[in-house]
Amino acid sequence: MFKATIMVCMMGTFNNPFTCTTFEDSYSPSTDYNVCRTRATEMMLDIQDILNTPIDYYYQCVPLKQA
């Protein structure tokens, strides 16, 4: 199981943590890494539509611990 996490930063300011925001997938966790990557891409496109400014995106598919 994987959870998509997106970090969005203003262009050219990745080294300044005050200019970045992190988004986590609120849907259920992905069962496969490739499904997680697809979900991360969907999230990045949605965020781009909402913010409508030049920004840098970084994604990560975080493995979740099995209970």
Side-chain angles (χ1 to χ4, degrees):
M1 303 288 261
F2 296 89
K3 184 173 193 171
T5 303
I6 309 292
M7 185 168 63
V8 179
C9 302
M10 293 173 56
M11 286 292 256
T13 60
F14 179 70
N15 292 332
N16 185 347
F18 298 109
T19 62
C20 299
T21 303
T22 303
F23 296 88
E24 291 186 354
D25 189 5
S26 60
Y27 290 173
S28 60
S30 302
T31 56
D32 180 86
Y33 183 79
N34 290 326
V35 173
C36 181
R37 287 181 51 195
T38 301
R39 176 64 184 136
T41 302
E42 292 171 356
M43 290 171 61
M44 286 188 276
L45 292 173
D46 289 343
I47 293 166
Q48 182 177 5
D49 286 345
I50 292 168
L51 298 180
N52 199 23
T53 60
I55 46 184
D56 289 326
Y57 297 92
Y58 305 91
Y59 81 91
Q60 182 176 17
C61 287
V62 180
L64 301 175
K65 294 180 181 178
Q66 300 290 330

